[in-house]
PDB file of all heavy atoms in Angstrom:
ATOM      1  N   LEU A  11      51.774 -35.426  79.521  1.00  0.00           N
ATOM      2  CA  LEU A  11      51.501 -34.400  80.529  1.00  0.00           C
ATOM      3  C   LEU A  11      50.242 -33.610  80.197  1.00  0.00           C
ATOM      4  O   LEU A  11      49.471 -33.252  81.089  1.00  0.00           O
ATOM      5  CB  LEU A  11      52.699 -33.463  80.657  1.00  0.00           C
ATOM      6  CG  LEU A  11      53.917 -34.069  81.351  1.00  0.00           C
ATOM      7  CD1 LEU A  11      55.100 -33.123  81.251  1.00  0.00           C
ATOM      8  CD2 LEU A  11      53.610 -34.407  82.789  1.00  0.00           C
ATOM      9  N   THR A  12      50.013 -33.352  78.923  1.00  0.00           N
ATOM     10  CA  THR A  12      48.791 -32.652  78.509  1.00  0.00           C
ATOM     11  C   THR A  12      47.564 -33.489  78.821  1.00  0.00           C
ATOM     12  O   THR A  12      46.566 -32.995  79.341  1.00  0.00           O
ATOM     13  CB  THR A  12      48.852 -32.307  77.012  1.00  0.00           C
ATOM     14  OG1 THR A  12      50.012 -31.529  76.771  1.00  0.00           O
ATOM     15  CG2 THR A  12      47.620 -31.553  76.560  1.00  0.00           C
ATOM     16  N   ARG A  13      47.617 -34.778  78.513  1.00  0.00           N
ATOM     17  CA  ARG A  13      46.484 -35.665  78.807  1.00  0.00           C
ATOM     18  C   ARG A  13      46.259 -35.773  80.320  1.00  0.00           C
ATOM     19  O   ARG A  13      45.121 -35.811  80.776  1.00  0.00           O
ATOM     20  CB  ARG A  13      46.729 -37.066  78.229  1.00  0.00           C
ATOM     21  CG  ARG A  13      46.871 -37.130  76.727  1.00  0.00           C
ATOM     22  CD  ARG A  13      45.711 -36.584  75.944  1.00  0.00           C
ATOM     23  NE  ARG A  13      44.463 -37.177  76.370  1.00  0.00           N
ATOM     24  CZ  ARG A  13      43.264 -36.680  76.105  1.00  0.00           C
ATOM     25  NH1 ARG A  13      43.148 -35.584  75.416  1.00  0.00           N
ATOM     26  NH2 ARG A  13      42.178 -37.271  76.524  1.00  0.00           N
ATOM     27  N   ALA A  14      47.333 -35.810  81.100  1.00  0.00           N
ATOM     28  CA  ALA A  14      47.197 -35.865  82.553  1.00  0.00           C
ATOM     29  C   ALA A  14      46.544 -34.584  83.078  1.00  0.00           C
ATOM     30  O   ALA A  14      45.701 -34.631  83.972  1.00  0.00           O
ATOM     31  CB  ALA A  14      48.558 -36.071  83.208  1.00  0.00           C
ATOM     32  N   ALA A  15      46.919 -33.445  82.520  1.00  0.00           N
ATOM     33  CA  ALA A  15      46.302 -32.180  82.931  1.00  0.00           C
ATOM     34  C   ALA A  15      44.809 -32.202  82.631  1.00  0.00           C
ATOM     35  O   ALA A  15      43.998 -31.753  83.439  1.00  0.00           O
ATOM     36  CB  ALA A  15      46.964 -31.005  82.214  1.00  0.00           C
ATOM     37  N   GLY A  16      44.423 -32.734  81.489  1.00  0.00           N
ATOM     38  CA  GLY A  16      43.006 -32.841  81.151  1.00  0.00           C
ATOM     39  C   GLY A  16      42.264 -33.771  82.094  1.00  0.00           C
ATOM     40  O   GLY A  16      41.131 -33.501  82.491  1.00  0.00           O
ATOM     41  N   ALA A  17      42.905 -34.853  82.494  1.00  0.00           N
ATOM     42  CA  ALA A  17      42.265 -35.814  83.392  1.00  0.00           C
ATOM     43  C   ALA A  17      42.102 -35.254  84.800  1.00  0.00           C
ATOM     44  O   ALA A  17      41.197 -35.661  85.527  1.00  0.00           O
ATOM     45  CB  ALA A  17      43.074 -37.108  83.433  1.00  0.00           C
ATOM     46  N   LEU A  18      42.965 -34.311  85.208  1.00  0.00           N
ATOM     47  CA  LEU A  18      42.879 -33.740  86.552  1.00  0.00           C
ATOM     48  C   LEU A  18      41.795 -32.679  86.685  1.00  0.00           C
ATOM     49  O   LEU A  18      41.483 -32.259  87.791  1.00  0.00           O
ATOM     50  CB  LEU A  18      44.230 -33.138  86.955  1.00  0.00           C
ATOM     51  CG  LEU A  18      45.327 -34.150  87.232  1.00  0.00           C
ATOM     52  CD1 LEU A  18      46.651 -33.437  87.445  1.00  0.00           C
ATOM     53  CD2 LEU A  18      44.980 -35.004  88.435  1.00  0.00           C
ATOM     54  N   THR A  19      41.246 -32.223  85.582  1.00  0.00           N
ATOM     55  CA  THR A  19      40.159 -31.245  85.644  1.00  0.00           C
ATOM     56  C   THR A  19      38.834 -31.987  85.525  1.00  0.00           C
ATOM     57  O   THR A  19      38.714 -33.098  85.986  1.00  0.00           O
ATOM     58  CB  THR A  19      40.318 -30.181  84.541  1.00  0.00           C
ATOM     59  OG1 THR A  19      40.318 -30.819  83.276  1.00  0.00           O
ATOM     60  CG2 THR A  19      41.597 -29.393  84.722  1.00  0.00           C
ATOM     61  N   PHE A  20      37.855 -31.363  84.909  1.00  0.00           N
ATOM     62  CA  PHE A  20      36.528 -31.970  84.814  1.00  0.00           C
ATOM     63  C   PHE A  20      36.439 -32.992  83.683  1.00  0.00           C
ATOM     64  O   PHE A  20      37.345 -33.128  82.870  1.00  0.00           O
ATOM     65  CB  PHE A  20      35.477 -30.878  84.622  1.00  0.00           C
ATOM     66  CG  PHE A  20      35.332 -30.003  85.830  1.00  0.00           C
ATOM     67  CD1 PHE A  20      35.803 -28.706  85.832  1.00  0.00           C
ATOM     68  CD2 PHE A  20      34.758 -30.493  86.988  1.00  0.00           C
ATOM     69  CE1 PHE A  20      35.679 -27.904  86.949  1.00  0.00           C
ATOM     70  CE2 PHE A  20      34.630 -29.700  88.121  1.00  0.00           C
ATOM     71  CZ  PHE A  20      35.096 -28.404  88.093  1.00  0.00           C
ATOM     72  N   ALA A  21      35.352 -33.710  83.616  1.00  0.00           N
ATOM     73  CA  ALA A  21      35.164 -34.781  82.636  1.00  0.00           C
ATOM     74  C   ALA A  21      35.254 -34.276  81.201  1.00  0.00           C
ATOM     75  O   ALA A  21      35.709 -34.995  80.322  1.00  0.00           O
ATOM     76  CB  ALA A  21      33.824 -35.462  82.863  1.00  0.00           C
ATOM     77  N   PHE A  22      34.835 -33.041  80.946  1.00  0.00           N
ATOM     78  CA  PHE A  22      34.912 -32.505  79.583  1.00  0.00           C
ATOM     79  C   PHE A  22      36.347 -32.543  79.073  1.00  0.00           C
ATOM     80  O   PHE A  22      36.615 -32.964  77.953  1.00  0.00           O
ATOM     81  CB  PHE A  22      34.392 -31.060  79.532  1.00  0.00           C
ATOM     82  CG  PHE A  22      34.727 -30.359  78.246  1.00  0.00           C
ATOM     83  CD1 PHE A  22      34.006 -30.635  77.090  1.00  0.00           C
ATOM     84  CD2 PHE A  22      35.775 -29.454  78.177  1.00  0.00           C
ATOM     85  CE1 PHE A  22      34.322 -30.005  75.900  1.00  0.00           C
ATOM     86  CE2 PHE A  22      36.098 -28.823  76.982  1.00  0.00           C
ATOM     87  CZ  PHE A  22      35.366 -29.101  75.845  1.00  0.00           C
ATOM     88  N   HIS A  23      37.291 -32.123  79.898  1.00  0.00           N
ATOM     89  CA  HIS A  23      38.685 -32.073  79.467  1.00  0.00           C
ATOM     90  C   HIS A  23      39.305 -33.465  79.412  1.00  0.00           C
ATOM     91  O   HIS A  23      40.244 -33.683  78.658  1.00  0.00           O
ATOM     92  CB  HIS A  23      39.504 -31.177  80.385  1.00  0.00           C
ATOM     93  CG  HIS A  23      39.039 -29.759  80.370  1.00  0.00           C
ATOM     94  ND1 HIS A  23      39.085 -28.971  79.242  1.00  0.00           N
ATOM     95  CD2 HIS A  23      38.485 -28.996  81.323  1.00  0.00           C
ATOM     96  CE1 HIS A  23      38.605 -27.782  79.520  1.00  0.00           C
ATOM     97  NE2 HIS A  23      38.223 -27.773  80.780  1.00  0.00           N
ATOM     98  N   ALA A  24      38.811 -34.395  80.184  1.00  0.00           N
ATOM     99  CA  ALA A  24      39.336 -35.757  80.145  1.00  0.00           C
ATOM    100  C   ALA A  24      39.034 -36.416  78.804  1.00  0.00           C
ATOM    101  O   ALA A  24      39.803 -37.244  78.330  1.00  0.00           O
ATOM    102  CB  ALA A  24      38.749 -36.585  81.282  1.00  0.00           C
ATOM    103  N   ARG A  25      37.936 -36.009  78.156  1.00  0.00           N
ATOM    104  CA  ARG A  25      37.566 -36.573  76.855  1.00  0.00           C
ATOM    105  C   ARG A  25      38.021 -35.705  75.690  1.00  0.00           C
ATOM    106  O   ARG A  25      37.876 -36.101  74.544  1.00  0.00           O
ATOM    107  CB  ARG A  25      36.057 -36.747  76.788  1.00  0.00           C
ATOM    108  CG  ARG A  25      35.516 -37.782  77.749  1.00  0.00           C
ATOM    109  CD  ARG A  25      34.022 -38.026  77.532  1.00  0.00           C
ATOM    110  NE  ARG A  25      33.249 -36.802  77.441  1.00  0.00           N
ATOM    111  CZ  ARG A  25      32.630 -36.202  78.453  1.00  0.00           C
ATOM    112  NH1 ARG A  25      32.703 -36.718  79.646  1.00  0.00           N
ATOM    113  NH2 ARG A  25      31.927 -35.108  78.269  1.00  0.00           N
ATOM    114  N   ALA A  26      38.561 -34.537  75.958  1.00  0.00           N
ATOM    115  CA  ALA A  26      38.935 -33.589  74.906  1.00  0.00           C
ATOM    116  C   ALA A  26      40.218 -34.031  74.204  1.00  0.00           C
ATOM    117  O   ALA A  26      41.001 -34.821  74.734  1.00  0.00           O
ATOM    118  CB  ALA A  26      39.135 -32.197  75.503  1.00  0.00           C
ATOM    119  N   THR A  27      40.417 -33.500  73.011  1.00  0.00           N
ATOM    120  CA  THR A  27      41.648 -33.797  72.282  1.00  0.00           C
ATOM    121  C   THR A  27      42.807 -33.035  72.907  1.00  0.00           C
ATOM    122  O   THR A  27      42.611 -32.081  73.658  1.00  0.00           O
ATOM    123  CB  THR A  27      41.528 -33.393  70.795  1.00  0.00           C
ATOM    124  OG1 THR A  27      41.394 -31.969  70.729  1.00  0.00           O
ATOM    125  CG2 THR A  27      40.359 -34.070  70.123  1.00  0.00           C
ATOM    126  N   THR A  28      44.007 -33.450  72.585  1.00  0.00           N
ATOM    127  CA  THR A  28      45.194 -32.785  73.118  1.00  0.00           C
ATOM    128  C   THR A  28      45.234 -31.321  72.700  1.00  0.00           C
ATOM    129  O   THR A  28      45.589 -30.446  73.487  1.00  0.00           O
ATOM    130  CB  THR A  28      46.462 -33.518  72.646  1.00  0.00           C
ATOM    131  OG1 THR A  28      46.362 -34.887  73.041  1.00  0.00           O
ATOM    132  CG2 THR A  28      47.710 -32.923  73.250  1.00  0.00           C
ATOM    133  N   ALA A  29      44.866 -31.042  71.455  1.00  0.00           N
ATOM    134  CA  ALA A  29      44.861 -29.653  70.970  1.00  0.00           C
ATOM    135  C   ALA A  29      43.860 -28.801  71.744  1.00  0.00           C
ATOM    136  O   ALA A  29      44.143 -27.645  72.080  1.00  0.00           O
ATOM    137  CB  ALA A  29      44.543 -29.621  69.480  1.00  0.00           C
ATOM    138  N   THR A  30      42.700 -29.359  72.073  1.00  0.00           N
ATOM    139  CA  THR A  30      41.697 -28.616  72.836  1.00  0.00           C
ATOM    140  C   THR A  30      42.200 -28.338  74.246  1.00  0.00           C
ATOM    141  O   THR A  30      42.053 -27.224  74.758  1.00  0.00           O
ATOM    142  CB  THR A  30      40.375 -29.402  72.896  1.00  0.00           C
ATOM    143  OG1 THR A  30      39.915 -29.620  71.566  1.00  0.00           O
ATOM    144  CG2 THR A  30      39.317 -28.661  73.687  1.00  0.00           C
ATOM    145  N   ILE A  31      42.804 -29.318  74.881  1.00  0.00           N
ATOM    146  CA  ILE A  31      43.351 -29.115  76.221  1.00  0.00           C
ATOM    147  C   ILE A  31      44.426 -28.036  76.184  1.00  0.00           C
ATOM    148  O   ILE A  31      44.468 -27.155  77.037  1.00  0.00           O
ATOM    149  CB  ILE A  31      43.922 -30.430  76.783  1.00  0.00           C
ATOM    150  CG1 ILE A  31      42.805 -31.443  76.992  1.00  0.00           C
ATOM    151  CG2 ILE A  31      44.672 -30.191  78.095  1.00  0.00           C
ATOM    152  CD1 ILE A  31      43.284 -32.837  77.281  1.00  0.00           C
ATOM    153  N   ARG A  32      45.278 -28.105  75.186  1.00  0.00           N
ATOM    154  CA  ARG A  32      46.345 -27.107  75.049  1.00  0.00           C
ATOM    155  C   ARG A  32      45.764 -25.705  74.876  1.00  0.00           C
ATOM    156  O   ARG A  32      46.206 -24.749  75.497  1.00  0.00           O
ATOM    157  CB  ARG A  32      47.248 -27.480  73.880  1.00  0.00           C
ATOM    158  CG  ARG A  32      48.488 -26.643  73.773  1.00  0.00           C
ATOM    159  CD  ARG A  32      49.442 -27.138  72.689  1.00  0.00           C
ATOM    160  NE  ARG A  32      48.790 -27.352  71.418  1.00  0.00           N
ATOM    161  CZ  ARG A  32      48.663 -28.549  70.822  1.00  0.00           C
ATOM    162  NH1 ARG A  32      49.145 -29.624  71.390  1.00  0.00           N
ATOM    163  NH2 ARG A  32      48.072 -28.657  69.661  1.00  0.00           N
ATOM    164  N   ASP A  33      44.735 -25.579  74.047  1.00  0.00           N
ATOM    165  CA  ASP A  33      44.126 -24.265  73.796  1.00  0.00           C
ATOM    166  C   ASP A  33      43.375 -23.724  75.011  1.00  0.00           C
ATOM    167  O   ASP A  33      43.376 -22.523  75.260  1.00  0.00           O
ATOM    168  CB  ASP A  33      43.174 -24.332  72.603  1.00  0.00           C
ATOM    169  CG  ASP A  33      43.902 -24.496  71.288  1.00  0.00           C
ATOM    170  OD1 ASP A  33      45.130 -24.249  71.250  1.00  0.00           O
ATOM    171  OD2 ASP A  33      43.253 -24.877  70.300  1.00  0.00           O
ATOM    172  N   LEU A  34      42.708 -24.592  75.769  1.00  0.00           N
ATOM    173  CA  LEU A  34      41.863 -24.137  76.876  1.00  0.00           C
ATOM    174  C   LEU A  34      42.572 -24.069  78.221  1.00  0.00           C
ATOM    175  O   LEU A  34      42.221 -23.236  79.060  1.00  0.00           O
ATOM    176  CB  LEU A  34      40.630 -25.044  77.002  1.00  0.00           C
ATOM    177  CG  LEU A  34      39.698 -25.090  75.803  1.00  0.00           C
ATOM    178  CD1 LEU A  34      38.540 -26.024  76.079  1.00  0.00           C
ATOM    179  CD2 LEU A  34      39.207 -23.711  75.444  1.00  0.00           C
ATOM    180  N   LEU A  35      43.537 -24.946  78.461  1.00  0.00           N
ATOM    181  CA  LEU A  35      44.148 -25.011  79.790  1.00  0.00           C
ATOM    182  C   LEU A  35      45.628 -24.651  79.839  1.00  0.00           C
ATOM    183  O   LEU A  35      46.106 -24.215  80.878  1.00  0.00           O
ATOM    184  CB  LEU A  35      43.978 -26.419  80.384  1.00  0.00           C
ATOM    185  CG  LEU A  35      42.559 -26.835  80.717  1.00  0.00           C
ATOM    186  CD1 LEU A  35      42.544 -28.253  81.242  1.00  0.00           C
ATOM    187  CD2 LEU A  35      41.943 -25.892  81.726  1.00  0.00           C
ATOM    188  N   ILE A  36      46.346 -24.854  78.777  1.00  0.00           N
ATOM    189  CA  ILE A  36      47.785 -24.613  78.829  1.00  0.00           C
ATOM    190  C   ILE A  36      48.143 -23.218  78.349  1.00  0.00           C
ATOM    191  O   ILE A  36      48.987 -22.552  78.948  1.00  0.00           O
ATOM    192  CB  ILE A  36      48.548 -25.702  78.048  1.00  0.00           C
ATOM    193  CG1 ILE A  36      48.322 -27.043  78.752  1.00  0.00           C
ATOM    194  CG2 ILE A  36      50.019 -25.378  77.939  1.00  0.00           C
ATOM    195  CD1 ILE A  36      48.913 -28.224  78.069  1.00  0.00           C
TER     196      ILE A  36
END
Side-chain angles (χ1 to χ4, degrees):
L11 288 172
T12 303
R13 298 303 308 163
L18 289 173
T19 59
F20 293 108
F22 167 77
H23 298 297
R25 294 186 312 267
T27 65
T28 304
T30 301
I31 295 169
R32 189 174 50 245
D33 289 344
L34 299 180
L35 293 178
I36 296 176

